[in-house]
Amino acid sequence: MSNSELRYLGPLDNERGSSARRDGVLSTLRRIPASFVLAVLAPTLIAAIYLLFIASPRYVSEARFIVRSSVEQQPSSLGMALQGVGLSSASTDNFAVQEYLSSPAALQELGSKFDLRSAYDRPDVDILSRVPGVLGDDSFVSFRKGLSRYMTVGYDSTTGISTLRVEAFSAKDAQRINALLLDGGEALVNRLNRRSATDAVQEAEVTLREARERLNAAQTALTSFRTRERFIDPQSTAREGANLIGELAVQLATLRAERNQLAATAPQSPQLQALDSRIGAYQAQIAAEQGKLAGAADSLAPKISTYDSLMLEREFADKLVASATAALNTAQLEARRKQLYLDQIVTPDLPDKPQEPKRWLTLLAVLSSLLVAYGIGWMLWAGVRESRAHA
Amino acid sequence: MRYHGRVIGALFMRETITRYGREGLGFLWLIGEPLIFCLGVMGLWAVMKPEYEHGVRVAPFVMTGYMCLLLFRHIVGYNLNALQANVGLMHHRAVKPLHIYVSRALMEFSGATVAFAIVYIILLVLGAVSPPHDVLLMYSGWLILFWFSTGLSLTFSALSIRFEVMERIVPVFMYLMIPLSGAFIMVDWLPDAYQRIYLLIPMPHTVEMVRAATFGEFVPTHYHPWYPIAWSAVLTLVGLALLATARRRVDVE
């Protein structure tokens, strides 16, 4: 091991010492390993040619918007920190819009208003930047996949502001696509609004209708009961009956007193018989009246209980209607209050200069990434070689 | 230049062999060690925490934080006693103390870099992380962290040659750096008032840079690249100055 190392180091020093300066440069160049040329230098050169001479300029149009509801306020950053992800309904709506904007549905809707293919599949655009590009076919799916790299949707959880960024090969296209996408988002918000408003109100309306039907039924049952039994209120009928019985009892008591008096003074009076028959008639009348109130088959007592339950049902239905009406009012109010808005804070701008691709920065990124990859590869290979040599 | 490169390269190879031996994976342990650590910690966190925390996915969050912490800890930790452990090498005229430190730092750097790349690729394949949004930002954050760690390790090592007590202080300091490094927290989660104080520590800036590059623009990050660079430069100079005076002490031994 140490032997071979010594032999390797030796000649290099000699060579360097003896050779001329130009040879030194040449030998340095020659000592660049082929793998380095292949893995780093050549790809960088290709990337440079593409980035600096071929890549078509892209214009970036950016819009910022916020989805907010008129009741809920945006959570503060501390609130966010304390409650974790902090999904208030406002940010859920934000995500809904974001999700929509990056969905195929949004693109299809956009496609119906704007000729996307003519904007992204232009012959004057270089083949690698084109959509669907070299690898894609004519399908909508591959078109959408290719397009996704030119559209960015993001949501900043601290500020609650969303960003929509569209890149296109002309400034007008970028702005127009951005604006149309935002319109689609706004339409979605409106749909959500309509849905949440109508849902709650409809529910309340159905409840109210049911309550009204129930009230009507109770009223009808009560009326038919009254017509059938021919009285308005069994309570008053009962009271009348009781009064009648009371009066009859008073009369009866007077008659009995009269008879007792007559029997004491003139026991043989012929009037006694007449009095007895009158007392008998009164007693029979009282018994009949009592039978009407209770005891007999069609007496008043069971009717009162039926009447009471009918009244109770009507009262209940009445209250139900009242509460359902109140609920409907609240629902309507709530629906009006819980409106969602998509507010454009920054409307899509019309760039006057292409911002993408960032040619030199991208080139630097390519070169450094290749260097890192090469370094990693070299290390792994050295490791494998090392362990194999001593296995 | 080439001479220094050769000395450092030779020390690099020597160090890997003395530390990991020639048996089994040998040299590859340089990558495997941080890799296993990081995967282990990530697995633990994945079990303990929900998938998203503060709107950030846990796996890439732990990966970026832990890899940065690992790089920092390894460089500072392994460099601390590098000179004392390799005092025999000082008999070679060619070998300077700085060579030893630089070779160890480079070794840890390359191991951690490869491990980072491998973990990133694993997460990428699993779909737990998207490709870096800004590669250059990631490289610069990582490189500044490397420089900062090396500068700090130089200062600490030079101090430890003079003061034995440093060997007791540095582990405590390293332990304190776990919460203060920004590895397991994002600056944005802190209340505004504490953010400014927290950002006085240079290391969170670099971690935030790596995170900003990983997560993209929609996860808020806070960093100023020049602040840790200035710290690194100062620490490196201080370390070199201290080493220059310390050299004599080592020679005497």
Side-chain angles (χ1 to χ4, degrees):
Chain A
M1 176 77 195
S2 64
N3 235 350
S4 68
E5 247 177 52
L6 275 178
R7 206 175 49 197
Y8 179 65
L9 288 178
L12 266 178
D13 273 347
N14 288 342
E15 190 185 70
R16 199 176 51 154
S18 63
S19 53
R21 196 194 155 97
R22 203 164 56 92
D23 280 357
V25 174
L26 266 179
S27 74
T28 314
L29 278 180
R30 212 171 297 135
R31 274 179 46 232
I32 296 175
S35 61
F36 187 78
V37 174
L38 269 179
V40 179
L41 294 183
T44 308
L45 192 68
I46 293 169
I49 291 170
Y50 171 74
L51 281 166
L52 299 179
F53 303 112
I54 300 174
S56 312
R58 295 195 300 270
Y59 294 82
V60 182
S61 175
E62 191 180 279
R64 280 168 195 261
F65 61 91
I66 188 165
V67 179
R68 59 181 183 84
S69 79
S70 45
V71 262
E72 267 156 319
Q73 52 193 10
Q74 289 298 324
S76 69
S77 73
L78 179 59
M80 289 289 290
L82 291 181
Q83 61 179 278
V85 190
L87 278 183
S88 74
S89 111
S91 64
T92 319
D93 295 327
N94 250 312
F95 284 126
V97 172
Q98 197 179 318
E99 203 61 26
Y100 169 79
L101 286 177
S102 46
S103 72
L107 215 58
Q108 235 149 11
E109 211 178 297
L110 177 64
S112 66
K113 296 181 214 150
F114 186 88
D115 190 2
L116 282 170
R117 297 213 182 229
S118 79
Y120 286 101
D121 202 7
R122 291 159 35 157
D124 58 325
V125 167
D126 77 89
I127 188 93
L128 287 177
S129 305
R130 246 181 258 170
V131 179
V134 244
L135 295 172
D137 47 30
D138 247 2
S139 66
F140 177 72
V141 173
S142 79
F143 185 68
R144 183 170 76 85
K145 268 192 190 143
L147 211 55
S148 65
R149 66 177 159 146
Y150 293 137
M151 293 179 182
T152 318
V153 199
Y155 171 69
D156 185 336
S157 59
T158 24
T159 54
I161 296 173
S162 302
T163 307
L164 174 63
R165 195 178 303 131
V166 175
E167 293 174 24
F169 299 104
S170 91
K172 276 226 169 77
D173 281 353
Q175 190 192 27
R176 182 110 186 85
I177 293 167
N178 199 328
L180 283 173
L181 272 175
L182 277 184
D183 284 350
E186 199 152 2
L188 172 82
V189 166
N190 288 339
R191 269 206 300 283
L192 289 178
N193 269 338
R194 218 173 309 135
R195 186 64 190 280
S196 79
T198 48
D199 265 13
V201 173
Q202 257 173 8
E203 192 65 28
E205 271 169 351
V206 167
T207 318
L208 181 60
R209 203 180 317 128
E210 279 169 6
R212 284 225 175 100
E213 273 161 17
R214 194 162 166 182
L215 180 60
N216 280 346
Q219 191 65 51
T220 319
L222 195 59
T223 312
S224 73
F225 175 77
R226 277 175 175 155
T227 6
R228 197 171 62 236
E229 302 297 337
R230 298 224 190 85
F231 48 64
I232 303 285
D233 186 351
Q235 300 278 2
S236 59
T237 314
R239 213 175 304 121
E240 277 162 23
N243 284 348
L244 192 63
I245 289 169
E247 269 166 41
L248 285 173
V250 171
Q251 297 267 347
L252 184 62
T254 322
L255 282 176
R256 279 210 176 119
E258 239 174 81
R259 188 196 174 277
N260 283 350
Q261 191 202 5
L262 199 62
T265 51
Q268 251 68 51
S269 171
Q271 275 187 331
L272 272 178
Q273 230 166 4
L275 270 175
D276 277 345
S277 79
R278 274 179 77 184
I279 285 168
Y282 270 103
Q283 273 173 337
Q285 187 60 37
I286 286 172
E289 288 298 332
Q290 272 172 343
K292 254 190 220 168
L293 283 186
D298 63 336
S299 69
L300 207 54
K303 280 177 198 159
I304 286 185
S305 91
T306 319
Y307 176 81
D308 273 353
S309 69
L310 281 173
M311 279 302 276
L312 206 66
E313 168 68 18
R314 196 187 66 167
E315 221 169 284
F316 185 64
D318 219 23
K319 282 193 177 134
L320 217 59
V321 168
S323 75
T325 314
L328 178 62
N329 280 343
T330 340
Q332 276 166 341
L333 215 67
E334 197 78 345
R336 226 166 289 147
R337 228 153 45 99
K338 258 195 183 164
Q339 283 287 5
L340 280 179
Y341 301 99
L342 192 155
D343 280 346
Q344 296 187 16
I345 304 168
V346 180
T347 48
D349 59 331
L350 184 69
D352 60 352
K353 184 174 156 255
Q355 285 155 283
E356 295 282 339
K358 295 187 172 63
R359 296 168 197 275
W360 289 102
L361 277 179
T362 314
L363 187 57
L364 189 57
V366 168
L367 176 61
S368 45
S369 299
L370 286 171
L371 280 174
V372 169
Y374 183 80
I376 291 172
W378 182 83
M379 256 191 80
L380 291 178
W381 185 69
V384 170
R385 190 183 49 180
E386 178 84 8
S387 63
R388 200 190 293 152
H390 300 282
Chain B
M1 196 60 208
R2 189 176 296 167
Y3 152 76
H4 289 295
R6 267 218 312 278
V7 173
I8 289 171
L11 284 171
F12 188 110
M13 294 315 286
R14 178 183 177 277
E15 182 65 28
T16 54
I17 289 162
T18 49
R19 195 183 310 169
Y20 300 108
R22 287 202 167 119
E23 303 302 314
L25 285 174
F27 183 101
L28 288 180
W29 273 116
L30 184 58
I31 303 153
E33 202 179 40
L35 187 69
I36 289 166
F37 258 106
C38 183
L39 288 178
V41 172
M42 243 164 57
L44 256 176
W45 273 62
V47 173
M48 275 168 11
K49 301 270 177 177
E51 201 188 350
Y52 282 86
E53 209 178 25
H54 302 275
V56 174
R57 287 188 85 158
V58 160
F61 171 73
V62 175
M63 168 187 69
T64 50
Y66 197 70
M67 287 315 303
C68 289
L69 186 66
L70 208 74
L71 176 68
F72 174 77
R73 283 173 66 97
H74 273 197
I75 290 182
V76 177
Y78 279 119
N79 256 353
L80 190 63
N81 287 319
L83 199 60
Q84 286 91 323
N86 285 314
V87 110
L89 284 173
M90 290 292 107
H91 291 299
H92 298 276
R93 205 164 39 86
V95 180
K96 302 256 175 4
L98 195 57
H99 287 145
I100 293 174
Y101 291 128
V102 170
S103 68
R104 280 205 173 187
L106 275 178
M107 195 175 109
E108 293 305 334
F109 178 69
S110 39
T113 307
V114 179
F116 193 6
I118 291 175
V119 178
Y120 205 113
I121 289 166
I122 290 175
L123 287 190
L124 204 62
V125 171
L126 291 177
V129 65
S130 53
H133 289 258
D134 188 343
V135 191
L136 288 177
L137 183 63
M138 176 167 276
Y139 296 154
S140 18
W142 188 244
L143 280 176
I144 295 171
L145 177 62
F146 167 56
W147 188 14
F148 172 72
S149 314
T150 311
L152 189 70
S153 77
L154 280 181
T155 307
F156 276 178
S157 313
L159 283 175
S160 82
I161 296 170
R162 296 184 153 218
F163 310 107
E164 290 253 316
V165 72
M166 280 306 282
E167 279 170 43
R168 304 277 167 275
I169 294 173
V170 171
V172 177
F173 172 82
M174 296 303 283
Y175 202 79
L176 272 178
M177 275 312 273
I178 294 176
L180 294 180
S181 62
F184 296 116
I185 193 168
M186 287 196 62
V187 176
D188 197 64
W189 300 351
L190 294 169
D192 278 348
Y194 294 103
Q195 280 183 16
R196 208 168 316 149
I197 300 170
Y198 196 62
L199 282 175
L200 289 177
I201 312 166
M203 191 173 159
H205 290 265
T206 60
V207 181
E208 288 276 302
M209 282 171 86
V210 173
R211 289 220 168 109
T214 310
F215 293 127
E217 59 184 313
F218 297 113
V219 171
T221 44
H222 305 262
Y223 58 86
H224 302 283
W226 292 109
Y227 184 69
I229 288 178
W231 265 91
S232 313
V234 169
L235 282 172
T236 311
L237 286 177
V238 169
L240 287 178
L242 285 172
L243 266 185
T245 55
R247 165 109 217 213
R248 255 167 279 132
R249 285 168 183 269
V250 182
D251 278 352
V252 171
E253 285 172 27

